[in-house]
């Protein structure tokens, strides 16, 4: 299992060297957040090389779709370094709660709070959780694949979406970014690439009101997925790490780097349950099927029979 943190996953080499760990838990202290403040004041970017313009896209999504809840309670689902948290603070959020399987250890930063899996479950059971806004950037595609020490579950991403749903207030917004392409795929244990057949059931409990990619916002839901910039791009090759061309950057990006910020609203009249149609994620197309041999590490688009696995 490759649970390492790489320099290209954080905003700068200095951040990379400042980021420390207590076991598997990242440590976020005041000097680290002061460095994010310096980056912001100098006009540099929080976006890491792995995800160009990601911080700018989140900030644009917030300004375009979330201004009315800026003063509400916000959370980040899945985070190694606090670049999303820093982006939300830049937007004007007063306090951010981070939820991660490897709960960050915060030292001397009162604007940041954290929960591990047991903590968020207890807070929900005690009726103490209800966020107005949640951001999940490049997290769900890893859930259930075991890369970061989490239990292996082919539908771990659906479990995470249900968890987020339960913790989001009716009318609240989820800003979700996962890799999307015309053809879905899995590279076990690293990540999933989401085609339309898996995206639809993944977000079906929500109302998609827009998306942002590379500084451009599009209003509407999946019916606007072909509007420029297209959500489900055709990869330039059929191998596992197909590439796309980023015109603004003038270079090719790997398929896993193509992550629009989807803006999803929990309906105002939503009940407590989100009946996610996990079986709707299954398709007769082998590129959309998460097959047993793929989960054992045989990456690629091999055909085969999908094994029905229990959700529990």
């Amino acid at each position: 299992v490759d649970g390492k943190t790489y320099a290209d996953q954080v905003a700068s080499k200095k951040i990379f060297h400042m980021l420390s760990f207590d076991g598997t838990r990242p440590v976020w202290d005041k000097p680290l957040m002061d460095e994010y403040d310096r980056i912001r004041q100098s006009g540099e970017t929080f976006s890491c090389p792995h995800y160009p313009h990601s911080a700018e896209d989140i900030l644009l999504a917030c300004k375009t779709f979330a201004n009315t809840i800026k003063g509400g309670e916000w959370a980040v689902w899945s985070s190694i370094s606090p670049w999303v948290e820093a982006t939300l603070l830049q937007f004007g959020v007063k306090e951010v709660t981070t939820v991660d399987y490897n709960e960050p250890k915060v030292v001397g930063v009162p604007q940041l709070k954290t929960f591990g899996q047991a903590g968020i479950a207890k807070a929900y059971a005690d009726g103490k959780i209800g966020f107005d806004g949640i951001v999940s950037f490049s997290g769900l595609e890893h859930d259930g694949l075991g890369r970061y020490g989490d239990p292996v579950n082919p539908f771990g991403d659906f479990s995470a979406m249900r968890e987020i749903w339960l913790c989001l207030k009716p009318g609240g917004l989820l800003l979700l970014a996962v890799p999307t392409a015309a053809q879905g795929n899995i590279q076990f244990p690293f990540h999933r690439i989401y085609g339309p057949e898996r995206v639809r059931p993944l977000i079906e409990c929500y109302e998609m009101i827009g998306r942002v990619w590379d500084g451009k916002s599009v209003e509407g839901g999946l019916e606007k997925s072909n509007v420029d910039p297209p959500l489900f791009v055709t990869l330039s090759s059929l191998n596992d790490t197909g590439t796309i061309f980023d015109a603004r950057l003038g270079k090719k990006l790997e398929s896993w780097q193509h992550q629009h910020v989807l803006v999803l609203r929990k309906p105002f009249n939503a009940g407590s349950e989100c009946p996610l149609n996990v079986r709707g994620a299954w398709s007769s197309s082998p590129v959309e099927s998460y097959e047993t041999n793929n989960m054992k590490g045989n990456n690629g688009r091999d055909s085969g029979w999908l094994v029905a696995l229990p959700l529990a």
Side-chain angles (χ1 to χ4, degrees):
V1 175
D2 176 16
K4 296 179 181 178
T5 300
Y6 298 92
D8 283 352
Q9 289 178 303
V10 299
S12 68
K13 289 183 178 179
K14 185 171 183 179
I15 291 287
F16 177 71
H17 290 299
M18 294 179 71
L19 186 64
S20 61
F21 288 83
D22 182 357
T24 60
R25 298 177 62 187
V27 178
W28 300 347
D29 56 16
K30 188 176 185 303
L32 182 69
M33 297 308 297
D34 286 345
E35 176 60 15
Y36 278 102
D37 278 341
R38 187 203 64 77
I39 290 173
R40 176 184 57 80
Q41 293 171 7
S42 66
E44 300 171 41
T45 181
F46 294 154
S47 301
C48 62
H50 270 182
Y51 304 110
H53 53 75
S54 51
E56 290 77 12
D57 286 350
I58 290 173
L59 188 59
L60 178 58
C62 287
K63 290 179 177 179
T64 304
F65 299 101
N67 263 318
T68 59
I69 60 171
K70 180 189 297 186
E73 296 183 64
W74 282 78
V76 175
W77 244 250
S78 184
S79 189
I80 297 173
S81 66
W83 67 274
V84 176
E85 289 80 356
T87 301
L88 289 176
L89 294 175
Q90 180 181 1
F91 173 53
V93 174
K94 300 302 181 184
E95 182 180 279
V96 183
T97 300
T98 299
V99 180
D100 199 286
Y101 185 81
N102 295 305
E103 181 184 358
K105 184 175 181 179
V106 177
V107 181
V109 188
Q111 305 100 312
L112 301 183
K113 297 184 180 302
T114 65
F115 280 115
Q117 294 301 304
I120 194 70
K122 184 178 187 305
Y124 172 78
D126 293 342
K128 297 180 180 179
I129 286 294
F131 296 109
D132 298 278
I134 293 175
V135 181
S136 175
F137 191 100
S138 190
L140 256 74
E141 72 267 26
H142 304 292
D143 284 331
L145 299 185
R147 180 180 181 182
Y148 293 101
D150 52 316
V152 174
N153 176 358
F155 303 107
D157 49 347
F158 282 84
S159 296
M161 281 294 277
R162 183 176 183 274
E163 181 182 74
I164 290 171
W165 169 274
L166 293 172
C167 295
L168 194 62
K169 294 178 182 177
L173 296 182
L174 167 61
L175 275 58
L176 173 69
V178 294
T180 56
Q183 292 180 309
N185 196 8
I186 183 171
Q187 284 187 284
F188 183 77
F190 300 105
H191 53 257
R192 303 174 182 90
I193 306 296
Y194 289 78
E197 286 82 0
R198 195 170 182 93
V199 168
R200 289 189 189 99
L202 187 71
I203 69 171
E204 69 177 344
C205 290
Y206 297 83
E207 175 192 1
M208 181 175 168
I209 61 175
R211 58 186 167 89
V212 172
W213 168 253
D214 195 9
K216 298 178 182 178
S217 63
V218 177
E219 294 188 2
L222 291 180
E223 77 281 357
K224 298 289 186 68
S225 61
N226 291 328
V227 174
D228 187 61
L231 178 60
F232 300 110
V233 294
T234 301
L235 303 182
S236 62
S237 64
L238 293 179
N239 58 30
D240 287 334
T241 55
T243 58
I244 61 171
F245 185 74
D246 188 304
R248 187 179 71 84
L249 296 175
K251 67 177 184 180
K252 289 182 178 180
L253 298 179
E254 300 293 333
S255 56
W256 52 265
Q257 294 176 292
H258 181 249
Q259 302 201 26
H260 290 223
V261 178
L262 310 184
V263 184
L264 310 172
R265 181 162 57 207
K266 182 176 180 178
F268 288 96
N269 61 349
S272 61
E273 287 297 319
C274 172
L276 286 170
N277 179 20
V278 175
R279 285 163 182 80
W282 299 355
S283 166
S284 58
S285 168
V287 300
E288 282 296 341
S289 296
Y290 289 68
E291 301 164 3
T292 305
N293 54 349
N294 269 348
M295 291 301 290
K296 289 181 179 178
N298 181 16
N299 298 325
R301 295 183 168 85
D302 297 340
S303 60
W305 292 99
L306 177 67
V307 176
L309 297 174
L311 304 185

